[in-house]
Amino acid sequence: MITPWNSSVLGSCPAHHTPPAGARGITEVLENARRTLRRLEPEAAHLAVHAGAMLVDIRPAAQRAATGEIPGALIIERNVLEWRLDPRSDARLPFADRYDLPVIVFCQEGYTSSLAAAALQELGLHLATDLTGGFRAWRMAGLPAFPPANAPRLQPSYQPA
């Protein structure tokens, strides 16, 4: 019987854990991605948004609900980001029709967003970058943010007449 994890399907795996030739670890992949970016600290990103840059939240819905959101950020989850922002894509968003879009991508802590911004640069979006420290750093900087969806809401101290 052949199962999906049967070695006859996967091929033989060496007993040791030597990476294949040319393989890079995630630390190296991340460092290489960040070399192409002019990453922005939260305050600089906030100013850039006021100057016309687009802030793009790539976090999944569950993470946004659990931790909060940045008002005005465009939500494009990571799994469709390139298709929505590539000017050549049939699935692009209407405004994504040029290569000089000032896009600032963010995730929760600033790791996935670096890889995503580098991927956008590979598509030709040469102004794409990411938010250093992600949403967590934005919140810690005291910048505008909606609370988590499950957070208790403050009630007004007055009742309308």
Side-chain angles (χ1 to χ4, degrees):
M1 174 178 176
I2 297 177
T3 64
W5 302 109
N6 188 311
S7 64
S8 66
V9 173
L10 294 175
S12 62
C13 295
H16 57 307
H17 300 285
T18 303
R24 298 178 294 154
I26 190 59
T27 301
E28 185 181 354
V29 169
L30 184 62
E31 288 171 358
N32 287 339
R34 287 182 172 167
R35 282 189 192 106
T36 69
L37 305 174
R38 194 182 129 258
R39 303 182 77 213
L40 298 177
E41 295 293 328
E43 295 82 1
H46 190 246
L47 291 173
V49 168
H50 285 290
M54 182 181 315
L55 195 57
V56 177
D57 188 343
I58 62 169
R59 299 173 301 153
Q63 195 169 43
R64 293 190 311 272
T67 61
E69 296 184 36
I70 297 175
L74 179 63
I75 297 167
I76 306 175
E77 290 190 14
R78 177 65 189 101
N79 62 324
V80 296
L81 182 69
E82 291 89 344
W83 285 268
R84 299 297 184 256
L85 295 182
D86 181 358
R88 291 168 283 213
S89 172
D90 291 337
R92 74 174 171 78
L93 294 170
F95 63 84
D97 60 353
R98 59 186 224 262
Y99 292 94
D100 62 347
L101 286 173
V103 176
I104 306 166
V105 180
F106 73 93
C107 61
Q108 188 64 26
E109 295 183 1
Y111 296 97
T112 302
S113 60
S114 293
L115 300 175
L120 291 176
Q121 285 189 354
E122 286 185 43
L123 295 175
L125 295 158
H126 59 93
L127 298 178
T129 191
D130 77 322
L131 173 61
T132 303
F135 180 73
R136 180 175 287 172
W138 181 277
R139 291 288 303 257
M140 289 181 68
L143 294 168
F146 292 128
N150 57 359
R153 306 281 181 190
L154 295 177
Q155 298 298 318
S157 58
Y158 65 93
Q159 294 296 323

